[in-house]
């Protein structure tokens, strides 16, 4: 994401000066967006990293017992955990050091974070095929397919991150905008399609299969997180050129991308909350071990 990490710091040609924590001197009157930015960074470190570590540990512990999407969730958790861990380096360099080499490292971290919607899109597509096209899904359940897809996604992510760490070419912003826009609309389409199929499957009935009900609730929550985290940036992209410099760089951009950074905490929180409800679901099973019907 081309957010505040790309802005010029308060440094002079003749010597080093203490960087402004709000990056531009004109932002001194309206630093509230940067206060929100630092708050999100600290939240990601304190809450997001432990949650992502818990998700990776839980998936590794389940081994073959997990769902097909767990491969993508595992990779997403690793990526988000790395981004959360870069917080101390980011804050110290942004507020005090202003070291050029560290800025390259920060730009790589943000480049990696830029592409996280690719793994989230893979998760949505996997669930979409499983619910909407179950026959096709039966033929592609092999985990090796998802491992190969994950390797391709990692190649794209690392290539973009390395390129961003050494270049500020506008084509990177265009690529980022394209990824965000296409991923957002694809994820929304997949989740709405899943909701439609699940609702249609119980039309005229009084109960829903517990597995489908659980999937329905989860998709609703995922859709809400997708809209909350990515809709602001999607809405900003077409109108970015119409804002004043102060409004764009001091208020809007830093706030919008901070909301996207929140996904590093919200995504694992969703997975962990599902984990915590698992014992309750087990209690709702009948004595034969088969799930019973739950009333909507």
């Amino acid at each position: 994401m081309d957010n505040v990490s790309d802005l010029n710091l308060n440094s002079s040609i003749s010597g080093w000066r203490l960087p402004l924590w709000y990056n531009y001197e004109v932002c001194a009157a309206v630093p509230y967006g940067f206060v929100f930015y630092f708050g999100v960074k600290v939240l990601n470190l304190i809450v997001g990293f432990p949650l992502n570590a818990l998700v990776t540990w839980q998936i590794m512990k389940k081994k073959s017992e997990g769902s097909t999407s767990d491969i993508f969730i595992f990779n997403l958790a690793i990526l988000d955990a790395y981004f959360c861990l870069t917080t101390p380096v980011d804050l110290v360099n942004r507020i005090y050091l202003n070291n050029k080499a560290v800025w390259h490292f920060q730009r790589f971290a943000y480049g990696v974070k830029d592409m996280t919607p690719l793994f989230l899109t893979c998760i949505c597509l996997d669930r979409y095929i499983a619910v909407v096209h179950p026959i096709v899904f039966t033929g592609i359940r092999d985990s090796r397919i998802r491992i190969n897809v994950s390797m391709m996604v990692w190649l794209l992510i690392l290539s973009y991150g390395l390129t961003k760490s050494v270049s500020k070419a506008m084509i990177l912003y265009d690529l980022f905008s394209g990824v965000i826009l296409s991923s957002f609309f694809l994820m929304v389409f997949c989740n709405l399609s899943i909701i439609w199929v699940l609702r249609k499957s119980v039309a005229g009935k009084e109960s829903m299969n517990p597995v489908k009900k659980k999937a329905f609730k989860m998709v609703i929550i995922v859709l809400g997180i997708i809209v909350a985290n990515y809709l602001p940036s999607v809405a900003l992209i077409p109108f970015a050129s119409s804002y004043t410099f102060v409004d764009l760089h001091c208020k809007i951009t830093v706030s919008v991308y901070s909301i996207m950074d929140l996904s590093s905490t919200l995504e694992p929180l969703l997975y962990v909350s599902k984990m915590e409800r698992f014992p309750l679901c087990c209690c709702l099973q009948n004595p034969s071990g088969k799930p019973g019907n739950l009333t909507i």
Side-chain angles (χ1 to χ4, degrees):
M1 62 191 66
D2 278 340
N3 60 4
V4 292
S5 64
D6 292 337
L7 304 180
N8 295 324
L9 293 174
N10 183 31
S11 57
S12 63
I13 299 177
S14 58
W16 179 88
R17 292 172 59 191
L18 182 65
L20 293 173
W21 61 275
Y22 40 78
N23 293 84
Y24 278 121
E25 292 186 1
V26 294
C27 297
V30 283
Y32 313 110
F34 292 91
V35 173
F36 179 56
Y37 169 82
F38 287 121
V40 169
K41 295 294 288 185
V42 173
L43 178 66
N44 280 342
L45 177 63
I46 297 176
V47 180
F49 175 73
L51 285 176
N52 281 290
L54 178 60
V55 169
T56 57
W57 176 80
Q58 181 68 19
I59 293 177
M60 291 176 64
K61 181 182 177 182
K62 289 197 304 184
K63 296 181 180 179
S64 60
E65 297 177 4
S67 68
T68 55
S69 297
D70 279 350
I71 294 175
F72 299 128
I73 295 173
F74 178 81
N75 285 278
L76 179 62
I78 291 177
L79 198 154
D80 279 335
Y82 163 74
F83 181 73
C84 293
L85 273 181
T86 63
T87 293
V89 177
D90 188 1
L91 297 185
V92 171
N93 193 54
R94 190 180 299 275
I95 297 174
Y96 181 72
L97 294 178
N98 191 23
N99 183 279
K100 185 177 180 180
V102 179
W103 276 110
H104 287 301
F105 170 78
Q106 289 178 241
R107 288 177 58 80
F108 171 78
Y110 273 102
V112 167
K113 180 60 179 174
D114 285 352
M115 298 292 109
T116 51
L118 292 178
F119 274 124
L120 199 57
T121 303
C122 289
I123 296 170
C124 292
L125 282 172
D126 190 62
R127 292 174 176 175
Y128 167 79
I129 296 174
V131 176
V132 182
H133 304 287
I135 297 177
V136 175
F137 181 77
T138 302
I140 58 172
R141 289 185 62 91
D142 192 343
S143 60
R144 289 176 296 182
I145 296 176
R146 288 157 184 80
I147 292 174
N148 291 332
V149 171
S150 297
M151 292 175 62
M152 293 175 59
V153 173
W154 271 110
L155 180 62
L156 292 174
I157 290 174
L158 295 177
S159 298
Y160 179 88
L162 289 172
T163 303
K164 180 163 183 168
S165 68
V166 298
S167 175
K168 293 185 179 181
M170 282 301 298
I171 190 173
L172 293 177
Y173 178 76
D174 294 336
L175 179 60
F176 165 69
S177 301
V179 169
I180 289 297
L181 288 170
S182 58
S183 296
F184 175 79
F185 288 114
L186 187 57
M187 288 187 290
V188 170
F189 167 78
C190 289
N191 283 280
L192 289 179
S193 299
I194 293 171
I195 293 171
W196 172 259
V197 170
L198 291 176
R199 289 297 300 173
K200 188 177 180 181
S201 66
V202 294
K205 300 179 181 178
E206 296 182 356
S207 61
M208 178 186 287
N209 180 281
V211 175
K212 289 186 176 181
K213 185 173 183 178
K214 184 178 179 181
F216 179 77
K217 290 181 177 179
M218 192 55 54
V219 168
I220 290 290
I221 297 174
V222 169
L223 182 60
I225 290 180
I226 291 170
V227 172
N229 283 133
Y230 296 101
L231 182 59
S233 60
V234 171
L236 169 66
I237 289 172
F239 306 104
S241 60
S242 63
Y243 297 105
T244 65
F245 181 89
V246 172
D247 286 341
L248 182 62
H249 292 293
C250 301
K251 301 178 183 178
I252 301 174
T253 303
V254 65
S255 299
V256 164
Y257 291 130
S258 294
I259 293 173
M260 286 187 60
D261 288 352
L262 270 175
S263 62
S264 294
T265 296
L266 293 180
E267 288 161 0
L269 183 62
L270 171 64
Y271 187 90
V272 170
S273 66
K274 183 177 68 172
M275 249 172 23
E276 293 173 348
R277 288 195 299 267
F278 182 75
L280 178 61
C281 295
C282 292
C283 294
L284 295 175
Q285 292 181 336
N286 59 34
S288 65
K290 298 180 181 180
N293 291 331
L294 297 178
T295 303
I296 298 178

